[in-house]
Amino acid sequence: SGRHEAARDRVAAALARYSEESRLWDEAERLAVSQGDWRGVIRLRQEREDAGLPSPGPDSEALEAALREDGVEGYWHWKAEELAAREAAGSPVSTVERASVAAALGDRDEAMALLEEARQNRDPRLLSLRTDPVWDALRQDRRFQTLLRALARD
């Protein structure tokens, strides 16, 4: 959509100026994932590594292999490994990001538990619940709808 393209353009412009900011690389990746741009996800990971900012855990070659072998599900397993490695290295990981992995891999109960935890902690990434396609599988879940109403009241 036009909004996604505009967001990607803004993040790309910010990355051009602040390429050392890991959060910008993460946001660029999330935008590419939300559009199903898997080549773009791989390219971003390669550029991040080339810029000297690799993330702990599996690298872009492992990502490419995961996507080639298992498609979208391979990406989410790769992402789960990457988040676990980040946490093990002492880097903060958003609870919403962990919930997105659980949702994408079909673990609704875990995703909902993590989203409720994120709500209690006021995780700013909760803003993605209304628009990010990763949450599509949960949209009909009564618990998800209750969570959205609670967030609107908070």
Side-chain angles (χ1 to χ4, degrees), residues 39-149:
R39 291 245 172 259
V41 172
I42 293 167
R43 180 184 47 75
L44 283 163
R45 275 293 161 165
Q46 290 167 337
E47 289 174 7
R48 183 179 188 158
E49 291 165 5
D50 292 346
L53 294 167
S55 190
D59 62 11
S60 62
E61 288 182 18
L63 169 60
E64 193 166 9
L67 281 164
R68 182 176 53 256
E69 293 167 16
D70 297 317
V72 174
E73 186 174 337
Y75 168 80
W76 290 107
H77 285 289
W78 176 90
K79 189 66 176 176
E81 285 183 48
E82 191 235 357
L83 295 179
R86 273 197 211 173
E87 286 182 317
S91 297
V93 173
S94 164
T95 307
V96 174
E97 196 165 13
R98 290 180 21 235
S100 70
V101 171
L105 292 174
D107 190 343
R108 289 178 176 214
D109 292 335
E110 176 70 6
M112 290 307 306
L114 288 165
L115 288 173
E116 187 54 44
E117 179 182 332
R119 178 178 168 250
Q120 298 302 320
N121 295 331
R122 299 191 182 285
D123 189 320
R125 291 245 14 255
L126 287 167
L127 294 172
S128 73
L129 295 185
R130 295 204 184 274
T131 58
D132 193 327
V134 75
W135 308 116
D136 288 352
L138 297 178
R139 293 200 193 283
Q140 300 306 311
D141 188 306
R142 186 178 326 156
R143 297 170 298 174
F144 188 79
Q145 294 169 4
T146 300
L147 177 66
L148 288 177
R149 285 192 297 276

Side-chain angles (χ1 to χ4, degrees), residues 2-49:
R3 288 178 27 196
H4 276 100
E5 288 176 28
R8 282 178 84 167
D9 290 346
R10 284 192 301 276
V11 170
L15 269 174
R17 289 189 67 187
Y18 307 105
S19 63
E20 72 283 357
E21 289 292 329
S22 294
R23 290 176 301 173
L24 288 172
W25 289 101
D26 292 342
E27 189 57 34
E29 181 181 320
R30 275 190 287 278
L31 286 166
V33 168
S34 74
Q35 292 187 302
D37 180 8
W38 304 109
R39 291 245 172 259
V41 172
I42 293 167
R43 180 184 47 75
L44 283 163
R45 275 293 161 165
Q46 290 167 337
E47 289 174 7
R48 183 179 188 158
E49 291 165 5

